[in-house]
Structures are given as structure tokens and as C-alpha cells.
Amino acid sequence: QVQLVESGGDSVQAGGSLRLSCVDSGSPWSDNVMAWFRSGVGKEREGVAAILPGSGSKYYADSVKGRFTISRNNRKNQIDLQMSSLNPEDTGTYYCAAVRYQYGGNWLNADQYTSWGQGTQVTVSS
């Protein structure tokens, strides 16, 4: 059973950086697509970034391209989200998500995912 635990959320000034981490204590890690989503007040849950197993292909929301980087460490069963040039629009609760890989998925769509963490709060002030 997949169990996801996020960490790294904090309050930062606009222009700052944060690194979020998600550890997956379940299995099979190596078969899972891993992703980050976020939700804010009055906003639907938004896919931020996803990374595939095997190829390590990455997908990003247009709003974070060039600023966020997703990575995975298969030895640690961990994914990270390095966030830079943060702005107040990035404020929200960030969730880690996982699903077993199947061909043709829409990896920034929350409906694809079967396991979720509890979330970690990111607050960016201007």
C-alpha cells in the first residue's frame, strides 16, 4: 500500500525558493507515476509536475515551467519539487500523488491518481 508523506512547506517572500519532498513508504515504487498537485483558496486542485518511472519523463504546468523542477530518487523512494522564483500565486497546499503507470495517462490530471499525501503548506508573501 502506498503511503505518501510530504515535507518542506514553509512561508517565503516572493522571489524565494523552497524544496518539497515526498517519501513513499509503500510499494511498488518503481512502477509508480509520481506527481505534485496544489490547491489554494477558491482554486481547484492543479497539477504542478509529474515524473514517470523508468524513462523519468517530466511534465509541468505552464504556470511553473522554468521555475519548478521535479526529480525522483528511486533508492530513497522519494520525489522532490524544487521551486524557485516563487510568487504569491504559488501559495497553496501542495500534495504528493502516486499511481501505477499505464500507457497514455494524463499525468497532470488529479483523477488519474489513486494515492495522496496529506499535503504541505506553501505561503508566498509579496
Side-chain angles (χ1 to χ4, degrees):
Q1 182 178 355
V2 175
Q3 294 181 322
L4 305 174
V5 179
E6 304 97 334
S7 62
D10 206 342
S11 296
V12 297
Q13 294 285 325
S17 299
L18 279 176
R19 189 176 186 89
L20 306 182
S21 295
C22 171
V23 176
D24 176 2
S25 61
S27 61
W29 164 265
S30 61
D31 295 337
N32 287 345
V33 181
M34 304 298 298
W36 288 97
F37 288 78
R38 66 185 180 189
S39 63
V41 176
K43 298 180 181 179
E44 292 185 359
R45 190 167 293 192
E46 173 191 21
V48 174
I51 186 166
L52 302 190
S55 68
S57 296
K58 303 174 183 181
Y59 302 83
Y60 294 97
D62 288 343
S63 59
V64 307
K65 282 180 181 176
R67 300 188 299 121
F68 291 11
T69 302
I70 189 171
S71 60
R72 67 190 291 158
N73 185 326
N74 289 333
R75 289 189 301 108
K76 295 182 178 180
N77 283 16
Q78 178 175 320
I79 62 166
D80 292 334
L81 185 69
Q82 178 66 46
M83 306 186 294
S84 60
S85 300
L86 287 162
N87 61 64
E89 292 296 308
D90 296 316
T91 294
T93 303
Y94 283 68
Y95 299 90
C96 180
V99 66
R100 188 179 179 92
Y101 175 78
Q102 290 186 337
Y103 179 79
N106 181 356
W107 305 118
L108 295 181
N109 184 336
D111 292 340
Q112 299 282 310
Y113 292 85
T114 55
S115 299
W116 294 85
Q118 294 299 308
T120 187
Q121 179 66 33
V122 172
T123 303
V124 185
S125 57
S126 57

